Amino acid sequence: MTLLCHLPGCRLLRVVRDGRDALVVAAEGERAQARCPTCRTPSSAVHSRYQRRPADLPASGKIVRLHLTVRRFYCHAAGCSRRTFAERFPHLLGRHAHRTRRLAQAQARTGIALGGQPAARLLAQLAMPTSATTLLRAIRALPLPSAGRPLIVGVDDWALRKGRTYATVVVDLERHRPLDLLPDRSAATLATWLRHEPQIHLVARDRSTEYARGTTMGAPSARQVADRWHLLLNTRQMLERWLVLVHPRLKQLPPTTPPAPSVRRTKAYSRAPAEVLTRAAAVERWQGLYDDVRRRVAAGQSLRRINRETGLARATVRKYAFAQHLPRHSLRGPGPSILDPYLDHLTARLDEGCENAMQLWRELRALGYPGTPKQVKRWLSQRRTRPAKTTIRRWQRSPAAATMTPPARLPVPPPKPLSWHLLRDPDELDPEAAATVAWVLQDGEGAKVVGLARRFCRIIHSSCGGRRADPASMVTFDRWLEEARRCGVRVVESFAASLDQDRAAVRAGLELPWSSGQAEGQINRLKLLKRSMYGRAKLDLLRRRFLLAA
């Protein structure tokens, strides 16, 4: 029994059952004397006794509560201010504690893994009941782990509240462990943290100018490495900004191949009047924001100041600043429909001259169609050659006006998905995407921009996988940079100028195997923790859970 109910510094007296789900363990101090906590003088003169009833770890699925008899001793030291003192059990429980240290540690570890409310619900089933508030208090009381002295670190930003509040995560790239969470992503905060770690000689980061300035101020002797993935991302963003500018011009290009006939929908169904009004209001709001950004740019304000004063995302400010017209927010294409498996049958029946929606619906229902006639009527309304018999006369149109003609050219993808197609390997594109890419490359400026973007991506890919780039690759990068700076396309020249300003970090990213990929992985884990706390965690609690659970 002593082995099963080990109580450091105590002697087990008895174990009794208290109801069906609890055990009571009676114990007392095993030493004949105790030391005064003030003067450290031993004493064996007992003054009195009292009971403490702390909770302990469960046994056999039952709640365990200690009945610990504590003795109070006289202190006979002449110069001591205490007259009496109680014996203590430092390895078992703390002063005034209502639970043993081992129970508190088990509960705190469960709280670190699950959070407050989920851990409280689980612990109630494990015979260690406690409240969520107590668990959070226990997590805050735990000491943070010692991370050692890092030499190579990675920094990246993460959204504490997306679009509004951002912070910084710092990761030890050699030990694969997070080091700290900083309350913002400013250069001053990062520089202050780096000054406390003067031994750091390499910092991997994205291409944020704030992190570049912070590293330069806090660790001027450290080498900065631009992350390769962010270089690829910036290349795609540069291509997307160019597409936003020239999208209206590209729409006028003739198709390189005739569009393949398809029975599937190429556009969504007609919108309800309320949806049309909602979208019109949204477009008006976007136009007002665009005009405001353009006025500020014309007045000479920096993009950073516009971002700070308007509250718009940095990418949106940059897009509006470069665009000559408001970038149109294209509607999404039609998604999958329950009518799709039956389109071949509908098309065949339409070719036979059947334009009765209810008849078609009955035929589809016999084939297993689970929907209502509404979808069939919508599909047929765009393909009728004559008005339906039930159509009101003033709404009837002539058969020639009602006839649906196929589009004369391929539908134009929005700039973002189109930029992905333009950067992919041509061998990996499906026929439709390949036709779209060939259609864009008809434009002379487009061929130049896409060619430069693809060449830069190949330079980055040739340096990945931990391989050290050879001098020839560096020469290729320098030549590409000079060519891009004189290409005559404003967006590409601006991108090349930013690379030239950060040339040392970009070259280090191409030469060295280090990157901020580990920081991205830690941010994924951090997001999981934040969402498990329903987004209501303060930064100090989230930081502790993040570092203690690593």
Side-chain angles (χ1 to χ4, degrees):
M1 184 58 71
T2 304
L3 294 176
L4 293 176
C5 300
H6 177 61
L7 303 174
C10 299
R11 179 170 56 250
L12 181 64
L13 299 179
R14 60 187 177 276
V15 178
V16 296
R17 180 177 295 177
D18 184 11
R20 297 179 56 184
D21 300 325
L23 297 176
V24 175
V25 178
E28 64 180 6
E30 63 180 359
R31 294 184 179 181
Q33 61 182 8
R35 289 184 178 274
C36 174
T38 301
C39 64
R40 308 302 299 168
T41 302
S43 174
S44 58
V46 178
H47 171 272
S48 58
R49 291 175 174 83
Y50 66 94
Q51 293 282 333
R52 291 183 67 178
R53 293 178 172 82
D56 198 6
L57 287 174
S60 300
K62 299 182 182 298
I63 297 175
V64 174
R65 184 166 294 280
L66 301 182
H67 280 195
L68 185 58
T69 301
V70 182
R71 295 168 293 179
R72 180 171 288 277
F73 292 88
Y74 286 102
C75 181
H76 297 298
C80 184
S81 60
R82 289 179 180 266
R83 299 271 60 89
T84 63
F85 63 91
E87 62 179 330
R88 297 180 181 178
F89 308 94
H91 299 292
L92 181 62
L93 71 163
R95 295 182 62 192
H96 314 298
H98 292 274
R99 53 185 176 163
T100 60
R101 294 186 186 275
R102 54 197 181 192
L103 175 61
Q105 185 177 14
Q107 291 174 339
R109 289 296 171 184
T110 308
I112 290 172
L114 300 179
Q117 291 290 352
R121 289 192 294 266
L122 176 63
L123 289 172
Q125 303 299 320
L126 299 179
M128 295 184 287
T130 188
S131 67
T133 303
T134 301
L135 286 173
L136 298 184
R137 189 168 57 247
I139 293 173
R140 285 190 168 98
L142 287 175
L144 293 176
S146 176
R149 307 292 286 178
L151 299 177
I152 300 175
V153 299
V155 296
D156 204 352
D157 62 339
W158 60 280
L160 186 61
R161 187 179 179 189
K162 193 170 181 64
R164 296 178 180 270
T165 307
Y166 287 84
T168 300
V169 60
V170 186
V171 179
D172 188 338
L173 298 184
E174 292 184 301
R175 298 184 178 91
H176 302 264
R177 292 182 61 86
L179 296 173
D180 207 347
L181 290 184
L182 307 182
D184 54 41
R185 56 181 179 183
S186 65
T189 301
L190 178 61
T192 302
W193 189 90
L194 290 173
R195 291 189 187 103
H196 291 88
E197 303 290 345
Q199 77 285 348
I200 291 177
H201 62 79
L202 189 144
V203 178
R205 56 169 177 83
D206 59 14
R207 298 192 55 250
S208 167
T209 55
E210 284 293 296
Y211 288 153
R213 290 196 303 113
T215 305
T216 302
M217 293 188 299
S221 60
R223 189 173 187 183
Q224 301 183 36
V225 177
D227 182 62
R228 291 181 292 273
W229 182 87
H230 284 93
L231 289 173
L232 293 173
L233 176 64
N234 297 149
T235 306
R236 190 205 62 76
Q237 291 171 338
M238 176 270 295
L239 194 56
E240 182 183 353
R241 288 197 297 272
W242 176 78
L243 287 171
V244 168
L245 294 174
V246 302
H247 210 250
R249 187 180 77 209
L250 296 180
K251 290 181 180 180
Q252 306 303 320
L253 295 175
T256 55
T257 57
S262 175
V263 299
R264 299 189 181 277
R265 292 178 293 142
T266 58
K267 62 179 182 179
Y269 291 126
S270 300
R271 301 292 175 178
E275 294 179 285
V276 174
L277 292 176
T278 301
R279 178 165 178 80
V283 171
E284 184 178 356
R285 184 174 67 254
W286 296 331
Q287 183 69 48
L289 294 174
Y290 168 78
D291 294 339
D292 184 32
V293 171
R294 295 290 295 179
R295 282 195 299 269
R296 292 172 180 270
V297 171
Q301 293 187 12
S302 65
L303 299 185
R304 187 180 303 279
R305 180 181 174 183
I306 298 174
N307 161 243
R308 185 170 56 251
E309 293 183 357
T310 63
L312 294 173
R314 290 184 294 181
T316 303
V317 172
R318 178 179 289 273
K319 180 171 64 175
Y320 285 178
F322 278 96
Q324 300 300 321
H325 305 282
L326 172 67
R328 305 300 295 178
H329 294 70
S330 58
L331 293 172
R332 292 185 179 181
S337 170
I338 59 174
L339 202 61
D340 289 346
Y342 309 96
L343 290 178
D344 294 334
H345 177 81
L346 288 173
T347 305
R349 293 288 289 134
L350 185 63
D351 293 340
E352 295 173 1
C354 179
E355 296 186 4
N356 188 325
M358 293 302 297
Q359 174 62 27
L360 293 175
W361 172 70
R362 283 190 289 268
E363 294 176 6
L364 293 186
R365 187 174 59 175
L367 296 175
Y369 173 64
T372 64
K374 185 176 181 179
Q375 289 286 77
V376 180
K377 291 179 180 179
R378 278 184 157 181
W379 181 86
L380 187 59
S381 66
Q382 299 178 358
R383 292 162 176 82
R384 288 186 179 276
T385 59
R386 57 187 179 275
K389 294 181 180 180
T390 56
T391 305
I392 300 176
R393 179 171 297 180
R394 66 174 181 270
W395 290 352
Q396 292 183 0
R397 296 176 295 173
S398 64
T403 302
M404 299 296 295
T405 58
R409 53 174 57 92
L410 290 171
V412 182
K416 187 170 185 178
L418 183 55
S419 65
W420 283 113
H421 291 327
L422 294 174
L423 288 181
R424 288 176 61 190
D425 190 338
D427 297 334
E428 299 177 355
L429 297 173
D430 55 46
E432 184 178 352
T436 303
V437 170
W439 162 72
V440 174
L441 294 181
Q442 294 179 97
D443 186 80
E445 184 178 294
K448 180 189 298 184
V449 173
V450 173
L452 287 170
R454 287 178 174 176
R455 282 172 52 196
F456 185 60
C457 290
R458 285 195 294 270
I459 294 173
I460 298 174
H461 288 150
S462 66
S463 65
C464 291
R467 301 186 301 270
R468 187 181 181 90
D470 55 1
S473 298
M474 294 298 100
V475 173
T476 303
F477 167 68
D478 293 336
R479 290 176 179 172
W480 179 93
L481 194 60
E482 294 303 320
E483 182 179 348
R485 294 188 64 182
R486 296 192 300 268
C487 69
V489 182
R490 180 187 175 191
V491 175
V492 181
E493 291 177 349
S494 175
F495 176 62
S498 68
L499 291 178
D500 188 34
Q501 185 179 4
D502 205 18
R503 183 192 288 250
V506 174
R507 290 178 65 95
L510 299 177
E511 294 174 355
L512 302 178
W514 301 105
S515 70
S516 59
Q518 290 184 43
E520 299 287 352
Q522 294 291 346
I523 289 173
N524 286 339
R525 188 170 65 85
L526 182 61
K527 289 178 180 178
L528 178 63
L529 289 175
K530 183 170 72 74
R531 288 166 183 167
S532 69
M533 304 168 80
Y534 302 99
R536 292 196 290 266
K538 291 184 179 180
L539 183 62
D540 67 318
L541 179 60
L542 186 60
R543 174 174 176 267
R544 284 188 166 275
R545 280 196 66 191
F546 179 60
L547 298 178
L548 290 170

Coordinates of all heavy atoms in Angstrom, one line a residue, residues 14 16 43 59 73 129 172 195 249 260 289 392 406 480 485 516 545:
R14 N -4.0 4.9 7.0 CA -5.1 4.0 6.5 C -5.7 4.6 5.3 O -5.5 5.7 4.9 CB -6.1 3.9 7.6 CG -6.8 5.2 8.0 CD -7.7 5.0 9.2 NE -8.3 6.3 9.5 CZ -7.7 7.2 10.3 NH1 -6.5 6.9 10.9 NH2 -8.3 8.3 10.6
V16 N -9.5 4.4 3.4 CA -10.9 4.1 3.5 C -11.7 4.6 2.3 O -11.2 5.5 1.6 CB -11.5 4.6 4.8 CG1 -10.8 4.0 6.0 CG2 -11.4 6.1 4.8
S43 N 13.1 21.6 16.1 CA 12.3 21.6 17.3 C 11.4 20.3 17.3 O 10.9 19.9 16.2 CB 11.3 22.8 17.4 OG 10.5 22.7 18.5
A59 N -6.8 7.0 -8.1 CA -6.3 5.6 -7.9 C -7.5 4.7 -8.4 O -8.6 4.9 -7.8 CB -5.9 5.3 -6.5
F73 N 4.7 23.1 15.9 CA 5.8 23.0 16.9 C 6.1 24.3 17.5 O 5.8 25.4 16.9 CB 7.1 22.5 16.2 CG 7.0 21.0 15.7 CD1 6.5 20.7 14.5 CD2 7.4 20.0 16.6 CE1 6.5 19.4 14.0 CE2 7.4 18.7 16.1 CZ 6.9 18.4 14.8
P129 N -11.1 16.4 -11.1 CA -12.0 17.6 -11.4 C -11.3 18.9 -11.0 O -10.7 19.0 -10.0 CB -13.3 17.3 -10.7 CG -12.9 16.4 -9.5 CD -11.7 15.6 -10.0
D172 N 14.1 28.6 -33.5 CA 15.5 28.1 -33.6 C 15.6 27.0 -34.7 O 15.0 25.9 -34.6 CB 15.9 27.4 -32.3 CG 17.4 27.1 -32.2 OD1 18.0 26.9 -33.3 OD2 17.9 27.0 -31.1
R195 N 18.9 42.0 -29.7 CA 20.0 42.6 -28.9 C 20.2 41.7 -27.7 O 21.4 41.8 -27.2 CB 19.6 44.0 -28.5 CG 19.7 45.0 -29.7 CD 19.6 46.4 -29.2 NE 19.4 47.4 -30.3 CZ 18.3 47.9 -30.6 NH1 17.2 47.7 -29.9 NH2 18.2 48.8 -31.7
R249 N -7.1 44.7 -71.7 CA -6.5 44.5 -73.1 C -6.4 43.1 -73.5 O -6.6 42.8 -74.7 CB -5.1 45.2 -73.0 CG -4.4 45.2 -74.4 CD -3.1 45.9 -74.2 NE -2.1 44.9 -73.7 CZ -1.0 45.3 -73.0 NH1 -0.8 46.6 -72.7 NH2 -0.2 44.4 -72.5
A260 N -13.8 24.4 -77.3 CA -14.4 23.1 -77.4 C -15.9 23.2 -77.0 O -16.2 23.8 -75.9 CB -13.7 22.0 -76.6
L289 N -13.0 53.2 -52.0 CA -11.7 52.9 -51.4 C -10.6 53.1 -52.4 O -9.5 53.6 -52.1 CB -11.7 51.5 -50.9 CG -12.6 51.2 -49.7 CD1 -12.6 49.7 -49.4 CD2 -12.2 52.0 -48.5
I392 N -45.7 34.6 -69.8 CA -46.6 35.7 -70.0 C -46.2 36.4 -71.4 O -45.1 36.5 -71.7 CB -46.5 36.7 -68.9 CG1 -46.9 35.9 -67.6 CG2 -47.3 37.9 -69.1 CD1 -46.7 36.8 -66.3
P406 N -23.1 30.2 -78.6 CA -21.9 29.9 -77.8 C -21.0 31.1 -77.8 O -21.0 32.0 -78.7 CB -21.3 28.7 -78.5 CG -21.8 28.9 -79.9 CD -23.2 29.4 -79.8
W480 N 19.8 38.4 -64.9 CA 18.4 38.5 -64.9 C 17.9 39.8 -64.3 O 17.0 40.5 -64.7 CB 17.8 37.3 -64.2 CG 16.3 37.4 -64.1 CD1 15.4 36.8 -65.0 CD2 15.5 38.0 -63.2 NE1 14.1 37.1 -64.7 CE2 14.1 37.8 -63.5 CE3 15.8 38.8 -62.0 CZ2 13.1 38.4 -62.8 CZ3 14.7 39.3 -61.3 CH2 13.4 39.1 -61.7
R485 N 15.4 45.1 -64.7 CA 15.4 46.5 -64.4 C 15.3 47.4 -65.6 O 14.9 48.6 -65.5 CB 16.6 46.9 -63.6 CG 16.7 46.2 -62.2 CD 17.9 46.7 -61.4 NE 17.7 48.1 -61.1 CZ 18.5 48.9 -60.4 NH1 19.6 48.4 -59.9 NH2 18.3 50.2 -60.1
S516 N 12.8 30.0 -43.9 CA 11.9 30.2 -42.8 C 10.7 29.2 -42.9 O 9.6 29.4 -42.3 CB 11.3 31.6 -42.8 OG 10.7 31.9 -44.1
R545 N 1.2 28.5 -23.8 CA 0.8 27.2 -24.4 C 1.7 26.8 -25.6 O 2.0 25.6 -25.8 CB -0.7 27.3 -24.8 CG -1.6 27.1 -23.7 CD -3.0 26.8 -24.3 NE -3.1 25.5 -24.9 CZ -4.1 25.1 -25.6 NH1 -5.1 25.8 -25.8 NH2 -4.0 23.9 -26.2

